[in-house]
């Protein structure tokens, strides 16, 4: 035991009337929601990078946090791992996620970096079996080191492609060894700063090959988890190729991967792409590629990807509505890709941030379930599209009517469509009843 969280107790469910800031008022892991335990719906994960690797810097100033595990050697990395499992225990989060660069200092060679990663994974393996905490997903950091500045798989230099492939392999091996339930690829440098120095078609083919290599290796080693791509339109690159869910789906189809790879959809990334979170979830669900979620929120004034902990129940409720309608998160989970504000420097702030996020998600889930159980909303949607159940409508949809045949029917039957209200205000107020 480290003494980092000295004096802080495990966060417990105390119910909505509790005024204890270090208690859950809504997240009650064993509570049944639509026939399933709340914990099994939400599948919460702590993100190693934000809680343990991020130091509170911004473009105008450096580190504000003071953590005993900051340092560039293995002793510090091991202390960080110990404290990480202490946080998971205090919160009762069943999962965590990490990049290689979050958990070990970079070595002086590829081989040394991998040795260090494996050494930390040994600690994870022990702590995971002691505590029952599981790995939601692992991933490789292919964006921080300067070798990746012109891309990882999309780099003009094939040596960087090879180095990236090797790094992904090492991270897939560790994820597999730790029983990870997914493997994530986020391409922060897979894009460009200026099109003037970029051959876009060549870079697409490189990225498509890399993702196929990943899928081939998954099957080779018998990894049963889901391979996930995380869309984001920009930041750090000016333009990233995995712009949004629809762009990713087109990419997956072009390279024959639409049945092998799903998406990890993040709230702030959806907003950056000019969508809502639920738009991205609904798009992915409609195309069978909804995999997992990175939960956070943006600062809506700055318009940038600020990775706040989520605090808006109605937005989160709509997200879980689409997730429940998709049959849940399956191998995915709710990963808090969220960080403390740089003034939140106390150890207890790490707990308070997650309590905020977990309670917001629990309220959102319960609201979504209540909305579904009430049935009014789904009945409204069914009714709106009910005309499509008719025989002629079905024939049009199934391709049994040609354009001229449809035109002939419109003329013969004097079809004059009657506009109907979309009822947006009614629906917005209906949703408010449950949030
Ligand atoms: C960056 C981001 C990443 C991915 C994992 O915006 O969301 O942390 O989730 O690489
Ligand atoms: Co993310």
């Amino acid at each position: 035991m480290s003494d980092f969280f000295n004096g802080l107790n495990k966060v417990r469910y105390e119910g909505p009337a509790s005024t204890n800031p270090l208690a859950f008022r809504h997240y009650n892991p064993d509570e049944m929601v639509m026939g399933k335990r709340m914990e099994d719906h939400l599948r919460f994960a702590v993100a190693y990078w934000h809680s343990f690797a991020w130091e509170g810097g911004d473009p105008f100033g450096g580190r504000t946090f003071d953590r005993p595990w900051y340092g560039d050697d293995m002793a510090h990395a091991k202390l960080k791992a110990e404290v990480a499992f202490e946080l998971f225990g205090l919160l009762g989060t069943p999962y965590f996620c990490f990049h290689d660069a979050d958990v070990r200092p970079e070595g002086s060679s590829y081989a040394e970096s991998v040795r260090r990663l494996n050494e930390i994974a040994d600690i994870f393996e022990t702590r995971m079996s002691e505590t029952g905490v599981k790995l939601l997903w692992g991933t490789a950091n292919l964006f921080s080191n300067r070798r990746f500045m012109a891309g990882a798989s999309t780099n003009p230099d094939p040596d960087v492609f090879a180095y990236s492939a090797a790094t992904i392999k090492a991270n897939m091996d560790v994820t597999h060894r730790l029983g990870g339930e997914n493997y994530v690829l986020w391409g922060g440098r897979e894009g460009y700063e200026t099109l003037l120095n970029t051959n876009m078609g060549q870079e697409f083919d490189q990225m498509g090959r890399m993702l196929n290599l990943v899928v081939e290796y998954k099957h080779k080693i018998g990894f049963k988890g889901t391979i996930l791509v995380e869309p984001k339109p920009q930041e750090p690159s000016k333009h990233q190729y995995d712009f949004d869910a629809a762009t990713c789906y087109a990419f997956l189809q072009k390279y024959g991967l639409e049945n092998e790879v799903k998406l990890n959809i993040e709230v702030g990334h959806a907003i950056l792409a000019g969508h809502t979170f639920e738009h991205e979830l609904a798009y992915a669900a409609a195309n069978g590629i909804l995999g997992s979620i990175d939960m956070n929120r943006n600062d809506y004034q700055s318009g940038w990807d600020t990775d706040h902990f989520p605090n808006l129940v109605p937005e989160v409720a709509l997200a879980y509505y689409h997730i429940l309608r998709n049959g849940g998160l399956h191998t995915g989970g709710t990963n808090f890709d969220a960080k403390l504000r740089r003034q939140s420097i106390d150890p207890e702030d790490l707990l308070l941030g997650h309590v905020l996020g977990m309670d917001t998600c629990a309220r959102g889930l319960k609201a979504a379930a209540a909305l579904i159980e009430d049935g009014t909303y789904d009945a409204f949607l069914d009714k709106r599209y009910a005309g499509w159940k008719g025989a002629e409508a079905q024939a049009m949809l199934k391709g049994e009517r040609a354009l001229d045949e449809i035109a002939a029917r419109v003329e013969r039957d004097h079809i004059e469509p009657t506009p109907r209200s979309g009822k947006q205000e009614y629906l917005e107020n209906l949703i408010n009843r449950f949030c």
Side-chain angles (χ1 to χ4, degrees):
M1 278 292 278
S2 78
D3 57 7
F4 183 70
F5 290 112
N6 244 354
L8 294 172
N9 297 318
K10 187 170 166 54
V11 181
R12 297 190 188 280
Y13 174 72
E14 292 184 5
S18 174
T19 55
N20 175 4
L22 285 171
F24 296 119
R25 293 186 302 121
H26 297 277
Y27 180 59
N28 184 10
D30 291 322
E31 188 175 320
M32 298 301 279
V33 177
M34 293 178 72
K36 194 155 111 182
R37 291 174 65 250
M38 202 185 269
E39 182 179 76
D40 301 334
H41 275 289
L42 293 163
R43 297 165 59 82
F44 285 134
V46 172
Y48 215 95
W49 51 103
H50 284 316
S51 289
F52 307 109
W54 189 61
E55 300 184 346
D58 72 9
F60 301 92
R63 167 193 300 187
T64 57
F65 302 151
D66 184 16
R67 311 293 198 217
W69 59 84
Y70 289 165
D72 218 14
D73 55 44
M74 285 299 281
H76 285 93
K78 288 175 185 171
L79 175 62
K80 178 159 57 171
E82 297 301 340
V83 177
F85 276 81
E86 287 168 19
L87 180 70
F88 309 153
L90 289 171
L91 290 169
T93 37
Y95 290 98
F96 72 113
C97 301
F98 68 90
H99 307 79
D100 47 359
D102 308 329
V103 304
R104 56 99 185 104
E106 178 101 11
S108 55
S109 63
Y110 167 77
E112 188 180 29
S113 290
V114 174
R115 267 197 307 278
R116 290 175 169 188
L117 176 63
N118 281 318
E119 211 179 315
I120 297 296
D122 291 341
I123 298 176
F124 286 171
E125 205 167 2
T126 308
R127 292 283 173 261
M128 287 168 76
S129 74
E130 285 167 3
T131 60
V133 172
K134 292 169 283 183
L135 178 62
L136 184 64
W137 46 264
T139 188
N141 179 325
L142 302 177
F143 43 89
S144 294
N145 191 288
R146 65 196 287 273
R147 74 173 70 85
F148 303 119
M149 68 183 185
S153 70
T154 59
N155 203 291
D157 179 355
D159 281 354
V160 180
F161 180 99
Y163 197 99
S164 304
T167 305
I168 292 172
K169 180 212 172 275
N171 281 278
M172 287 179 74
D173 286 344
V174 158
T175 301
H176 186 39
R177 160 149 81 102
L178 297 176
E181 298 186 24
N182 306 271
Y183 184 83
V184 165
L185 297 110
W186 169 62
R189 305 281 176 197
E190 310 294 27
Y192 59 81
E193 290 304 314
T194 171
L195 201 47
L196 292 173
N197 65 12
T198 304
N199 181 341
M200 205 191 277
Q202 163 76 25
E203 294 199 1
F204 287 162
D205 286 349
Q206 293 175 205
M207 205 163 101
R209 184 84 284 272
M210 184 68 89
L211 201 48
N212 269 288
L213 285 169
V214 168
V215 168
E216 286 159 17
Y217 190 64
K218 164 192 154 144
H219 292 303
K220 187 172 183 176
I221 62 176
F223 177 62
K224 295 281 175 273
T226 310
I227 303 295
L228 300 170
V229 165
E230 185 172 321
K232 186 176 185 182
Q234 73 262 351
E235 195 212 49
S237 302
K238 173 181 160 57
H239 189 111
Q240 281 156 210
Y241 297 140
D242 294 329
F243 192 94
D244 62 359
T247 314
C248 287
Y249 189 49
F251 184 85
L252 294 179
Q253 290 178 101
K254 177 172 181 191
Y255 293 98
L257 292 167
E258 70 274 23
N259 298 319
E260 291 279 2
V261 177
K262 293 189 183 340
L263 302 185
N264 182 38
I265 296 183
E266 178 164 328
V267 184
H269 299 181
I271 306 297
L272 265 189
H275 302 303
T276 59
F277 186 39
E278 64 268 22
H279 166 91
E280 289 290 84
L281 295 172
Y283 181 90
N287 292 290
I289 53 167
L290 174 50
S292 194
I293 58 171
D294 269 9
M295 181 49 85
N296 55 26
R297 74 173 170 94
N298 282 1
D299 178 315
Y300 290 126
Q301 277 71 51
S302 79
W304 205 234
D305 183 29
T306 55
D307 292 331
H308 284 62
F309 281 92
N311 68 347
L312 297 172
V313 175
E315 290 188 3
V316 171
L318 287 177
Y320 283 109
Y321 170 81
H322 288 283
I323 287 165
L324 288 173
R325 278 279 165 252
N326 191 50
L329 285 165
H330 305 280
T331 68
T334 302
N335 171 45
F336 287 109
D337 199 345
K339 64 187 178 211
L340 296 173
R341 299 305 92 191
R342 71 194 293 271
Q343 295 180 54
S344 302
I345 59 176
D346 296 342
E348 74 158 13
D349 292 322
L350 278 171
L351 296 181
L352 291 165
H354 285 91
V355 169
L356 165 66
M358 291 163 79
D359 256 356
T360 303
C361 291
R363 277 184 75 178
L365 175 76
K366 286 190 288 186
L371 179 68
I372 291 171
E373 279 166 346
D374 169 80
T376 312
Y377 175 56
D378 288 322
F380 172 91
L381 273 184
D382 276 355
K383 193 168 161 214
R384 191 157 193 244
Y385 291 88
W388 282 97
K389 294 193 178 114
E392 270 306 316
Q394 281 296 305
M396 289 195 294
L397 196 61
K398 288 181 181 151
E400 293 161 4
R401 296 288 182 273
L403 205 62
D404 51 351
E405 291 170 333
I406 296 172
R409 182 169 66 87
V410 168
E411 199 174 330
R412 186 188 66 231
D413 296 351
H414 307 292
I415 290 178
E416 288 297 340
T418 317
R420 294 194 185 92
S421 170
K423 293 275 180 248
Q424 182 167 338
E425 297 77 8
Y426 158 75
L427 291 170
E428 286 170 352
N429 208 18
L430 174 68
I431 302 292
N432 278 352
R433 269 174 42 202
F434 301 93
C435 292

mmCIF file of all heavy atoms in Angstrom, residues 49-50 137 184 186 230 264-266 269 294-296 305 307 335 337, ligand 2:
data_model
loop_
_atom_site.group_PDB
_atom_site.id
_atom_site.type_symbol
_atom_site.label_atom_id
_atom_site.label_comp_id
_atom_site.label_asym_id
_atom_site.label_seq_id
_atom_site.Cartn_x
_atom_site.Cartn_y
_atom_site.Cartn_z
ATOM 1 N N TRP A 49 -4.032 7.171 -18.564
ATOM 2 C CA TRP A 49 -3.289 8.366 -19.005
ATOM 3 C C TRP A 49 -3.752 9.631 -18.300
ATOM 4 O O TRP A 49 -2.922 10.434 -17.888
ATOM 5 C CB TRP A 49 -3.337 8.522 -20.538
ATOM 6 C CG TRP A 49 -4.677 8.471 -21.197
ATOM 7 C CD1 TRP A 49 -5.397 9.519 -21.660
ATOM 8 C CD2 TRP A 49 -5.447 7.297 -21.494
ATOM 9 N NE1 TRP A 49 -6.573 9.080 -22.219
ATOM 10 C CE2 TRP A 49 -6.628 7.734 -22.145
ATOM 11 C CE3 TRP A 49 -5.263 5.934 -21.294
ATOM 12 C CZ2 TRP A 49 -7.616 6.842 -22.567
ATOM 13 C CZ3 TRP A 49 -6.247 5.052 -21.719
ATOM 14 C CH2 TRP A 49 -7.397 5.506 -22.343
ATOM 15 N N HIS A 50 -5.050 9.807 -18.167
ATOM 16 C CA HIS A 50 -5.521 11.050 -17.553
ATOM 17 C C HIS A 50 -5.290 11.062 -16.044
ATOM 18 O O HIS A 50 -4.956 12.092 -15.474
ATOM 19 C CB HIS A 50 -7.009 11.251 -17.822
ATOM 20 C CG HIS A 50 -7.302 11.695 -19.212
ATOM 21 N ND1 HIS A 50 -6.579 12.677 -19.847
ATOM 22 C CD2 HIS A 50 -8.245 11.301 -20.103
ATOM 23 C CE1 HIS A 50 -7.066 12.861 -21.058
ATOM 24 N NE2 HIS A 50 -8.071 12.038 -21.239
ATOM 25 N N TRP A 137 -9.456 -2.310 -22.353
ATOM 26 C CA TRP A 137 -8.658 -2.334 -23.580
ATOM 27 C C TRP A 137 -7.252 -1.807 -23.349
ATOM 28 O O TRP A 137 -6.999 -1.017 -22.442
ATOM 29 C CB TRP A 137 -9.319 -1.605 -24.731
ATOM 30 C CG TRP A 137 -9.947 -0.257 -24.565
ATOM 31 C CD1 TRP A 137 -11.273 -0.014 -24.338
ATOM 32 C CD2 TRP A 137 -9.339 1.054 -24.693
ATOM 33 N NE1 TRP A 137 -11.512 1.343 -24.306
ATOM 34 C CE2 TRP A 137 -10.341 2.024 -24.529
ATOM 35 C CE3 TRP A 137 -8.031 1.483 -24.938
ATOM 36 C CZ2 TRP A 137 -10.100 3.399 -24.587
ATOM 37 C CZ3 TRP A 137 -7.786 2.858 -24.999
ATOM 38 C CH2 TRP A 137 -8.809 3.793 -24.824
ATOM 39 N N VAL A 184 -7.668 -1.064 -28.880
ATOM 40 C CA VAL A 184 -8.067 0.203 -29.514
ATOM 41 C C VAL A 184 -6.940 0.796 -30.365
ATOM 42 O O VAL A 184 -5.763 0.709 -30.008
ATOM 43 C CB VAL A 184 -8.496 1.234 -28.425
ATOM 44 C CG1 VAL A 184 -8.572 2.648 -28.986
ATOM 45 C CG2 VAL A 184 -9.867 0.845 -27.854
ATOM 46 N N TRP A 186 -6.261 4.562 -31.939
ATOM 47 C CA TRP A 186 -6.649 5.956 -32.161
ATOM 48 C C TRP A 186 -5.511 6.621 -32.932
ATOM 49 O O TRP A 186 -4.352 6.593 -32.501
ATOM 50 C CB TRP A 186 -6.893 6.699 -30.835
ATOM 51 C CG TRP A 186 -7.022 8.175 -31.075
ATOM 52 C CD1 TRP A 186 -7.984 8.792 -31.831
ATOM 53 C CD2 TRP A 186 -6.135 9.212 -30.634
ATOM 54 N NE1 TRP A 186 -7.748 10.154 -31.875
ATOM 55 C CE2 TRP A 186 -6.627 10.434 -31.145
ATOM 56 C CE3 TRP A 186 -4.977 9.223 -29.851
ATOM 57 C CZ2 TRP A 186 -6.002 11.659 -30.910
ATOM 58 C CZ3 TRP A 186 -4.353 10.438 -29.606
ATOM 59 C CH2 TRP A 186 -4.872 11.644 -30.137
ATOM 60 N N GLU A 230 -10.927 4.482 -32.996
ATOM 61 C CA GLU A 230 -11.553 5.611 -32.290
ATOM 62 C C GLU A 230 -11.580 6.842 -33.201
ATOM 63 O O GLU A 230 -10.534 7.445 -33.463
ATOM 64 C CB GLU A 230 -10.771 5.891 -31.002
ATOM 65 C CG GLU A 230 -11.420 6.969 -30.153
ATOM 66 C CD GLU A 230 -10.758 7.115 -28.790
ATOM 67 O OE1 GLU A 230 -10.385 6.089 -28.176
ATOM 68 O OE2 GLU A 230 -10.602 8.259 -28.339
ATOM 69 N N ASN A 264 -14.796 2.814 -31.174
ATOM 70 C CA ASN A 264 -14.816 3.345 -29.814
ATOM 71 C C ASN A 264 -15.162 4.824 -29.953
ATOM 72 O O ASN A 264 -14.360 5.621 -30.438
ATOM 73 C CB ASN A 264 -13.437 3.173 -29.157
ATOM 74 C CG ASN A 264 -13.433 3.680 -27.731
ATOM 75 O OD1 ASN A 264 -14.402 3.517 -27.002
ATOM 76 N ND2 ASN A 264 -12.344 4.325 -27.330
ATOM 77 N N ILE A 265 -16.373 5.175 -29.554
ATOM 78 C CA ILE A 265 -16.888 6.528 -29.821
ATOM 79 C C ILE A 265 -16.762 7.393 -28.581
ATOM 80 O O ILE A 265 -17.178 6.993 -27.492
ATOM 81 C CB ILE A 265 -18.339 6.437 -30.313
ATOM 82 C CG1 ILE A 265 -18.323 5.682 -31.649
ATOM 83 C CG2 ILE A 265 -18.954 7.823 -30.473
ATOM 84 C CD1 ILE A 265 -19.642 5.561 -32.310
ATOM 85 N N GLU A 266 -16.150 8.565 -28.758
ATOM 86 C CA GLU A 266 -15.898 9.465 -27.624
ATOM 87 C C GLU A 266 -16.760 10.724 -27.749
ATOM 88 O O GLU A 266 -16.871 11.325 -28.819
ATOM 89 C CB GLU A 266 -14.409 9.841 -27.596
ATOM 90 C CG GLU A 266 -14.076 10.818 -26.482
ATOM 91 C CD GLU A 266 -12.576 10.890 -26.203
ATOM 92 O OE1 GLU A 266 -11.871 9.877 -26.368
ATOM 93 O OE2 GLU A 266 -12.114 11.971 -25.820
ATOM 94 N N HIS A 269 -15.023 13.896 -29.111
ATOM 95 C CA HIS A 269 -14.637 13.759 -30.519
ATOM 96 C C HIS A 269 -15.848 13.950 -31.435
ATOM 97 O O HIS A 269 -15.739 14.545 -32.511
ATOM 98 C CB HIS A 269 -14.020 12.385 -30.772
ATOM 99 C CG HIS A 269 -12.771 12.127 -29.987
ATOM 100 N ND1 HIS A 269 -12.059 10.945 -30.087
ATOM 101 C CD2 HIS A 269 -12.095 12.879 -29.085
ATOM 102 C CE1 HIS A 269 -11.014 10.989 -29.281
ATOM 103 N NE2 HIS A 269 -11.017 12.152 -28.664
ATOM 104 N N ASP A 294 -15.861 6.199 -25.059
ATOM 105 C CA ASP A 294 -15.001 7.021 -24.213
ATOM 106 C C ASP A 294 -15.871 8.158 -23.711
ATOM 107 O O ASP A 294 -16.357 8.991 -24.485
ATOM 108 C CB ASP A 294 -13.794 7.559 -24.997
ATOM 109 C CG ASP A 294 -12.608 6.616 -24.910
ATOM 110 O OD1 ASP A 294 -12.774 5.492 -24.405
ATOM 111 O OD2 ASP A 294 -11.504 7.005 -25.354
ATOM 112 N N MET A 295 -16.096 8.169 -22.389
ATOM 113 C CA MET A 295 -17.061 9.089 -21.795
ATOM 114 C C MET A 295 -16.335 10.321 -21.270
ATOM 115 O O MET A 295 -15.344 10.199 -20.536
ATOM 116 C CB MET A 295 -17.793 8.338 -20.686
ATOM 117 C CG MET A 295 -18.852 9.106 -19.961
ATOM 118 S SD MET A 295 -20.040 9.958 -21.002
ATOM 119 C CE MET A 295 -21.229 8.666 -21.343
ATOM 120 N N ASN A 296 -16.833 11.485 -21.652
ATOM 121 C CA ASN A 296 -16.319 12.760 -21.135
ATOM 122 C C ASN A 296 -17.262 13.851 -21.610
ATOM 123 O O ASN A 296 -18.375 13.561 -22.040
ATOM 124 C CB ASN A 296 -14.866 13.013 -21.597
ATOM 125 C CG ASN A 296 -14.691 12.954 -23.101
ATOM 126 O OD1 ASN A 296 -15.613 13.194 -23.867
ATOM 127 N ND2 ASN A 296 -13.494 12.627 -23.549
ATOM 128 N N ASP A 305 -11.389 19.920 -27.391
ATOM 129 C CA ASP A 305 -11.550 18.607 -26.770
ATOM 130 C C ASP A 305 -10.946 18.649 -25.366
ATOM 131 O O ASP A 305 -9.781 18.328 -25.178
ATOM 132 C CB ASP A 305 -10.839 17.560 -27.643
ATOM 133 C CG ASP A 305 -11.022 16.163 -27.105
ATOM 134 O OD1 ASP A 305 -12.049 15.903 -26.464
ATOM 135 O OD2 ASP A 305 -10.138 15.326 -27.344
ATOM 136 N N ASP A 307 -11.936 17.115 -22.454
ATOM 137 C CA ASP A 307 -11.952 15.902 -21.616
ATOM 138 C C ASP A 307 -12.391 16.170 -20.174
ATOM 139 O O ASP A 307 -11.773 15.676 -19.226
ATOM 140 C CB ASP A 307 -10.572 15.221 -21.628
ATOM 141 C CG ASP A 307 -10.214 14.637 -22.973
ATOM 142 O OD1 ASP A 307 -11.125 14.257 -23.722
ATOM 143 O OD2 ASP A 307 -9.006 14.559 -23.288
ATOM 144 N N ASN A 335 -15.452 4.006 -20.740
ATOM 145 C CA ASN A 335 -14.122 4.399 -20.276
ATOM 146 C C ASN A 335 -14.099 5.901 -20.026
ATOM 147 O O ASN A 335 -14.438 6.685 -20.921
ATOM 148 C CB ASN A 335 -13.083 4.041 -21.354
ATOM 149 C CG ASN A 335 -11.719 4.609 -21.038
ATOM 150 O OD1 ASN A 335 -11.240 4.520 -19.907
ATOM 151 N ND2 ASN A 335 -11.077 5.222 -22.028
ATOM 152 N N ASP A 337 -12.480 8.729 -20.417
ATOM 153 C CA ASP A 337 -11.370 9.434 -21.064
ATOM 154 C C ASP A 337 -11.512 10.900 -20.634
ATOM 155 O O ASP A 337 -11.799 11.786 -21.435
ATOM 156 C CB ASP A 337 -11.449 9.267 -22.584
ATOM 157 C CG ASP A 337 -10.118 9.570 -23.241
ATOM 158 O OD1 ASP A 337 -9.263 10.167 -22.571
ATOM 159 O OD2 ASP A 337 -9.940 9.227 -24.425
HETATM 160 CO CO1 LIG B 2 -10.459 8.579 -26.234
#
